[in-house]
Amino acid sequence: MVKLKAITEENYEDCLALKVSDNQSNFVASNAYSLAQAWVFYNTAYPFAIYAGDVMVGFVMMSYFKPKGVYDIWRFMIDKRFQGKGYGKAALALAIKYLKEEHNAGEISLSFEPNNSIAEKLYASAGFQRTGEVDDGEIVMCL
């Protein structure tokens, strides 16, 4: 069973140890950088560890993007050891559910690197559609 759990003193080192494969490293910021951003933007960033049972398999960080007034899935990664097992799809559904239920999000955006076709396919399977916008070189999708 996949679930989201808060990042705490007890699990942050496990989160920092999560890695994508070398050929994916330019698709997502490191979890250390993401947690630093979560600290700085503590009022609007919502970081979570992704667990499959008792094992941390990934990281997701959502946020409220004030300039546009929309919620965003800011970071999303599954550790290279756990990819291809359905954890990403399940965790994405949980992130969407969290934003809708906890923050009453009507619109959710995210972005991905143009060469990351696997991410685009995952996001499209959850109902996200390209907006035509490009943000800092990344393709924006919206649900």
Side-chain angles (χ1 to χ4, degrees):
M1 175 182 195
V2 176
K3 58 191 171 235
L4 303 181
K5 288 186 176 181
I7 305 293
T8 66
E9 289 178 30
E10 290 77 31
N11 68 5
Y12 82 94
E13 288 185 10
D14 290 337
C15 183
L16 295 176
L18 297 172
K19 304 287 183 223
V20 294
S21 61
D22 289 342
N23 65 337
Q24 297 171 322
S25 63
N26 60 339
F27 291 160
V28 66
S30 72
N31 291 347
Y33 185 78
S34 295
L35 289 176
Q37 286 180 308
W39 175 258
V40 171
F41 299 104
Y42 65 93
N43 284 326
T44 58
Y46 321 110
F48 290 94
I50 301 167
Y51 279 83
D54 293 330
V55 178
M56 187 183 298
V57 299
F59 173 78
V60 61
M61 184 164 72
M62 297 154 281
S63 68
Y64 180 68
F65 191 58
K66 287 182 181 180
K68 292 188 177 184
V70 298
Y71 287 89
D72 186 64
I73 297 177
W74 193 2
R75 295 285 155 60
F76 188 80
M77 65 83 69
I78 301 295
D79 184 271
K80 61 185 173 185
R81 298 167 295 162
F82 304 106
Q83 293 180 9
K85 300 177 188 284
Y87 299 139
K89 189 171 190 169
L92 182 59
L94 290 173
I96 293 166
K97 181 179 177 183
Y98 169 82
L99 288 173
K100 286 183 175 184
E101 291 181 359
E102 299 297 321
H103 297 279
N104 200 29
E107 182 178 319
I108 301 170
S109 68
L110 51 72
S111 62
F112 65 95
E113 291 288 333
N115 294 331
N116 194 348
S117 60
I118 293 171
E120 181 177 17
K121 183 178 175 184
L122 172 65
Y123 302 148
S125 76
F128 285 87
Q129 297 180 352
R130 285 183 180 222
T131 65
E133 181 183 352
V134 176
D135 182 22
D136 198 24
E138 294 189 355
I139 296 168
V140 178
M141 296 181 86
C142 190
L143 177 69

